[in-house]
Amino acid sequence: MSELVTGEAVALELRPARLPSRGLATLLDLVVAFTAYVVVSVVVVVTTASLDDAAQIALSIATFLLVLVGGPIAVETLSHGRSLGKMACGLRVVRDDGGPIRFRHALVRGAIGVVEILLTLGVVACIASLVSARGRRLGDVFAGTLVVRERVPAARSGFVPPPPPWLAGRFQGLDLSAVPDGLWLAVRQYLGRMGQLDPQVGWAMAVRLAGELAACTGVPVPQGVPPAAYLAAVVQERQVREARRAFGGGPVAVPVVGAGGAAMAYGPPAAAYVPPVVAGGGAPDEPAVDRSSGPGTGFAPPA
């Protein structure tokens, strides 16, 4: 796995593409490029048969540069790092910070690719990819890019874990009407993929999203509630309200993770949150309950 820092300062552990998949994608791209080059060359030769030899040589060089060099650069720039071969193999070229590449990145990759792929038949690119820890060729090193695998099974990112049981129904009084759809989407994506994030940066992202969500609702995050658990609880409250509207205000079952269910680490990366213990074993309105055998959530509920 490789840690990439996105434009939002989120460290994503993405899988760099290795030599076999990159080689197959490059081979597919070369087949398409050379097919286009042959077709264009035939058209140029037929249409410029009356020109002298110097003009034909100049046109041949221009055709080579335009099709075999300019073509891949244009495709990677317009598709944000997804050529036909990479699209077929589920790969994408990204910057070192995880963002989409621009023209200058594609230009450097394409210019150096002429030497390490076309002129050396890919030998230099293969050696560089084998030596690099992240499978990068020389064009990636000089351009500051990385080829990653972008195909992720849907099950890994589609599951949004429920909050811990002691937070269920705690945020029924929040006004969620001012929360924009984009923030809901960001929160759901974070909850669905927080197991793939770097623990420390994932915690920082949860704090940022919780702060934005609290600013929209006008109520600060309760003390002692980890930000990821707060996000999960508010998302669940929104789902409960939508279900009540859809089914006429009837009772809605709240999902609770059982002892054998999936346990998500909502707590901070360094140590789990342990709230202060209240004398007497619990709050006045809450009897003391033994939660030692409850589901693992990465933190202990407040007493």
Side-chain angles (χ1 to χ4, degrees), residues 29 127 141 146 172 226 267 299:
D29 289 335
I127 295 176
V141 175
L146 176 67
Q172 294 180 357
F299 55 89

Side-chain angles (χ1 to χ4, degrees), residues 8-248:
E8 297 180 350
V10 179
L12 301 179
E13 294 179 347
L14 301 179
R15 293 183 179 181
R18 296 303 179 183
L19 183 59
S21 58
R22 292 195 61 176
L24 179 59
T26 303
L27 180 61
L28 294 175
D29 289 335
L30 289 178
V31 170
V32 174
F34 274 104
T35 302
Y37 175 70
V38 171
V39 173
V40 174
S41 297
V42 170
V43 174
V44 170
V45 169
V46 172
T47 57
T48 61
S50 59
L51 299 178
D52 55 9
D53 294 340
Q56 291 183 356
I57 293 175
L59 287 176
S60 299
I61 296 175
T63 302
F64 174 84
L65 294 176
L66 179 63
V67 177
L68 295 182
V69 181
I73 293 175
V75 170
E76 283 195 351
T77 302
L78 297 176
S79 64
H80 300 291
R82 296 188 69 193
S83 60
L84 294 178
K86 292 181 178 63
M87 193 179 303
C89 297
L91 308 180
R92 179 188 289 272
V93 183
V94 297
R95 301 196 305 260
D96 280 339
D97 61 357
I101 65 172
R102 293 187 172 89
F103 172 73
R104 63 178 183 273
H105 305 98
L107 178 62
V108 175
R109 281 174 47 83
I112 300 180
V114 174
V115 177
E116 62 174 338
I117 296 179
L118 296 181
L119 299 184
T120 63
L121 300 180
V123 175
V124 175
C126 291
I127 295 176
S129 297
L130 291 174
V131 172
S132 174
R134 297 193 290 178
R136 303 201 300 176
R137 64 179 178 89
L138 295 180
D140 293 316
V141 175
F142 285 99
T145 57
L146 176 67
V147 180
V148 298
R149 296 172 55 185
E150 67 172 356
R151 286 180 181 170
V152 180
R156 296 180 60 185
S157 59
F159 173 72
V160 177
W166 55 275
L167 280 180
R170 182 171 177 178
F171 302 101
Q172 294 180 357
L174 285 182
D175 181 12
L176 305 180
S177 59
V179 181
D181 293 338
L183 182 56
W184 285 124
L185 178 61
V187 171
R188 289 183 59 86
Q189 288 179 344
Y190 165 75
L191 292 175
R193 301 191 61 184
M194 64 181 179
Q196 307 173 33
L197 301 177
D198 177 81
Q200 294 181 352
V201 184
W203 174 261
M205 185 178 183
V207 172
R208 180 178 64 83
L209 290 175
E212 293 181 4
L213 190 58
C216 293
T217 60
V219 179
V221 181
Q223 292 186 354
V225 177
Y230 168 79
L231 295 174
V234 176
V235 168
Q236 185 190 67
E237 176 62 28
R238 180 173 185 257
Q239 293 174 343
V240 169
R241 295 182 186 182
E242 291 178 348
R244 285 174 178 169
R245 285 195 297 266
F247 296 101

